[in-house]
Amino acid sequence: MAAGLKHIVVGSLICVALISGIIALILSLVEIYDVPSPKGMKYGIVCDAGSTHTTLFLYHWPADKENETGIVSQLHSCDVEGPGISSYAQDPPKAGESLRPCLDNILTFIPKEKQKESIVYLGATAGMRLLRLQSAAQSDEVLKEVANTIRSYPLNFQKAKIITGDEEGAYGWITINYILQTFLKYSWEGEWVHPKGATISGALDLGGASTQITFIPREAISNKNMEAKFKLYGYNYTTYTHSYLCHGKKQSENRVLAALLKGKDLAAPIEIPCYLKGYTTNATLDSIYDSPCTSDQKPSPYKGTQSVTLIGTGKSAECRKAVRTLFNFTACGGNQTCAFNGVYQPPVNGHFIAFSAFYYISNFLKLASTGASLETSISTVEAFCNKTWAQAEAENPKEPEFRLKDYCTAGWILLTLLVDGYKFDHSTWNNIDFQRKAGNTEIGWTLGYMLNLTNMIPSEVEPQLKGHSHKIWAAAIFFIVLTIAVMLVALVSQVLWPAKDI
């Protein structure tokens, strides 16, 4: 009887163990899915070779992409000493050498094991566009030298190219809306989501040699040459974008001087209404006319090293009139979908961020004060232009002369471009925010380019691990432990309860 009971108990324990083991085996086979192995961060460098200076921006993003576009953030930036690379047309190797201190600096922020796979792109803007118009051979040589320098570093160099003005404008628009989280926003649930009802902002960029406007208009874009389409984080966007070469801050200032010097006796002092009263300076003809933007206005005979004396008269109305000569408003013939120079533009729509020189001019003249009306902004520029040079210096002791002398001209360039050119008026003026950066990120075209680039770079290819959910693993482990426990009980009972014949 005892032996029979023993066999029943042991048999029951073995059955429980077998059933538990089978359940554990089944659980180990169900709900298997791929678990990507950790990938860490990827790194990318964009060299912004502008008309007046070059800046290197270092970005990083998770190696596994989010909704087919990288979650990119700025890690570091480095300003290259000296002028823009287009200034080295007569000595191209120096253009490449000028980048070395910043390339050395950037490398210290990239883990050594990631350097060889870190992509590098150099984009040259309006300064090099102008050089190409003057000499394609010289522009190619400059790009070749900067490319050779970058290739000498342990980095994944992609290319050095002159980007178009429309690309510059469109990538600036991407940067702004990415920073403002209108494309993607981090939710309370800890996930990246597309924000509902997000307001897409337009972009206004004023560089040294060109200016760009990009926005989503209310109406369909009739000129498809000015249409740029993007797919970002699973959504499609269609923007109007256009770039005006020679309408950047520096080139516009030189064009004003060229207009004021036209037909004058350059051996005598020339009155300049855009310079404050009491200011006097000397300038060589090459510093004014050495660009395709002004070369057609060169006096004859021409000697580039000739110096002219410029005397400020501080006449605001005359300065404003001189600035307006840079724009052809009659070419539009009263057409409401035309900006200037006969260029098509739908009416401005929504909120805009104005950056680069727009920000620096407005910040100095305090045009960006909260709630400042268009009338107030106009009177502010007029008031500055009517100051004497001594007053301006006393009120701005830290502002260098080469900048301070041009703020009257720059103020009217900003207002004429935005109001008369792009057609912002009393009702839309306050839709413009003048900003330099948001958070730790500079506003410009480079981040937008890197975001668009991460949409084209495939994710890292790495082996996939097989895995289960946490709950399945917990259940499987429970039944495995139960199986082992039951088998141990059966074994102990076999030893401690020996069989006896009846």
Side-chain angles (χ1 to χ4, degrees):
M1 184 70 180
L5 180 59
K6 172 210 163 184
H7 289 309
I8 292 172
V9 172
V10 173
S12 298
L13 290 173
I14 292 173
C15 288
V16 171
L18 287 171
I19 293 170
S20 179
I22 291 170
I23 292 173
L25 178 62
I26 293 172
L27 288 174
S28 69
L29 296 175
V30 299
E31 290 200 25
I32 295 178
Y33 57 91
D34 289 334
V35 179
S37 56
K39 298 177 181 178
M41 301 296 289
K42 297 186 81 171
Y43 297 82
I45 302 167
V46 181
C47 308
D48 179 2
S51 59
T52 59
H53 70 281
T54 299
T55 302
L56 275 61
F57 294 94
L58 174 62
Y59 300 104
H60 63 166
W61 62 93
D64 51 333
K65 296 186 294 181
E66 175 72 26
N67 292 334
E68 299 184 343
T69 310
I71 306 298
V72 180
S73 60
Q74 182 177 320
L75 180 61
H76 183 61
S77 68
C78 182
D79 292 323
V80 174
E81 290 189 10
I85 61 173
S86 59
S87 301
Y88 298 102
Q90 303 302 322
D91 193 357
K94 285 187 177 180
E97 290 301 312
S98 70
L99 304 182
R100 289 193 180 277
C102 274
L103 285 168
D104 293 336
N105 175 261
I106 288 284
L107 274 180
T108 64
F109 290 84
I110 305 175
K112 193 169 184 179
E113 66 274 12
K114 292 285 186 177
Q115 290 178 1
K116 288 186 177 180
E117 66 184 50
S118 297
I119 58 173
V120 185
Y121 173 89
L122 183 138
T125 55
M128 287 295 289
R129 289 179 215 137
L130 291 175
L131 178 59
R132 173 152 287 179
L133 290 176
Q134 288 179 301
S135 172
Q138 285 184 327
S139 67
D140 288 344
E141 192 63 26
V142 169
L143 290 179
K144 175 185 173 183
E145 290 296 335
V146 296
N148 287 340
T149 296
I150 300 173
R151 284 194 187 98
S152 69
Y153 283 78
L155 297 164
N156 182 13
F157 176 66
Q158 299 290 301
K159 56 186 173 181
K161 63 170 284 191
I162 300 172
I163 67 171
T164 69
D166 290 347
E167 286 177 317
E168 187 177 0
Y171 290 139
W173 174 84
I174 292 176
T175 296
I176 285 170
N177 287 286
Y178 178 81
I179 293 173
L180 296 178
Q181 296 189 337
T182 54
F183 294 144
L184 205 64
K185 189 172 184 177
Y186 202 64
S187 70
W188 288 104
E189 292 78 20
E191 297 178 346
W192 290 99
V193 297
H194 185 78
K196 294 181 179 179
T199 301
I200 303 294
S201 294
L204 298 167
D205 185 4
L206 181 63
S210 67
T211 184
Q212 288 74 230
I213 179 171
T214 308
F215 65 100
I216 298 179
R218 289 187 297 270
E219 59 191 46
I221 300 170
S222 60
N223 188 335
K224 300 304 178 184
N225 292 327
M226 299 177 181
E227 184 178 82
K229 294 184 177 182
F230 299 95
K231 183 175 182 180
L232 297 161
Y233 305 104
Y235 287 81
N236 296 311
Y237 300 91
T238 301
T239 66
Y240 165 88
T241 185
H242 188 67
S243 176
Y244 295 87
L245 191 60
C246 295
H247 283 278
K249 177 182 179 293
K250 181 60 179 176
Q251 292 302 325
S252 290
E253 290 165 352
N254 281 348
R255 290 172 65 205
V256 168
L257 290 177
L260 293 170
L261 294 180
K262 189 174 181 180
K264 302 289 178 63
D265 178 7
L266 302 184
I270 310 294
E271 292 187 346
I272 305 297
C274 294
Y275 287 163
L276 301 188
K277 188 174 183 179
Y279 178 72
T280 300
T281 189
N282 293 311
T284 64
L285 294 185
D286 269 350
S287 68
I288 300 171
Y289 297 99
D290 190 22
S291 161
C293 299
T294 52
S295 59
D296 61 338
Q297 299 182 59
K298 284 183 178 180
S300 181
Y302 181 80
K303 184 179 180 182
T305 57
Q306 180 181 348
S307 179
V308 293
T309 300
L310 308 176
I311 298 177
T313 59
K315 297 180 179 179
S316 180
E318 290 184 21
C319 180
R320 186 179 190 180
K321 183 179 178 180
V323 168
R324 283 184 62 84
T325 64
L326 308 184
F327 303 81
N328 184 349
F329 294 116
T330 59
C332 289
N335 188 341
Q336 294 302 307
T337 56
C338 180
F340 57 93
N341 298 353
V343 176
Y344 160 78
Q345 178 196 298
V348 292
N349 176 45
H351 176 258
F352 283 78
I353 300 293
F355 54 101
S356 297
F358 277 129
Y359 166 79
Y360 292 107
I361 298 167
S362 65
N363 184 61
F364 176 83
L365 295 173
K366 297 180 174 57
L367 304 181
S369 301
T370 304
S373 65
L374 177 56
E375 291 86 351
T376 299
S377 298
I378 292 173
S379 63
T380 298
V381 174
E382 288 176 337
F384 179 80
C385 291
N386 289 327
K387 292 180 186 291
T388 66
W389 178 248
Q391 285 177 306
E393 279 193 307
E395 294 170 0
N396 305 279
K398 295 183 179 180
E399 196 70 17
E401 177 187 335
F402 75 92
R403 288 194 190 129
L404 188 59
K405 71 180 178 65
D406 288 321
Y407 275 119
C408 176
T409 316
W412 286 123
I413 289 170
L414 179 149
L415 288 172
T416 306
L417 180 58
L418 294 179
V419 178
D420 301 306
Y422 294 153
K423 306 297 187 292
F424 286 93
D425 56 24
H426 302 283
S427 63
T428 57
W429 177 255
N430 289 122
N431 291 342
I432 304 173
D433 282 334
F434 297 92
Q435 293 182 217
R436 180 174 70 90
K437 62 192 303 185
N440 295 319
T441 302
E442 300 281 343
I443 298 176
W445 66 268
T446 55
L447 175 57
Y449 174 79
M450 188 57 71
L451 283 164
N452 194 55
L453 185 64
T454 59
N455 195 33
M456 296 183 286
I457 297 176
S459 298
E460 292 180 350
V461 179
E462 294 188 11
Q464 298 290 308
L465 306 176
K466 299 298 181 180
H468 305 280
S469 71
H470 176 74
K471 292 180 180 178
I472 295 298
W473 270 116
I477 290 171
F478 169 78
F479 283 106
I480 290 171
V481 171
L482 179 61
T483 300
I484 295 171
V486 171
M487 293 298 291
L488 286 173
V489 171
L491 180 61
V492 170
S493 66
Q494 181 72 19
V495 173
L496 298 180
W497 191 2
K500 293 182 180 180
D501 292 333
I502 303 298

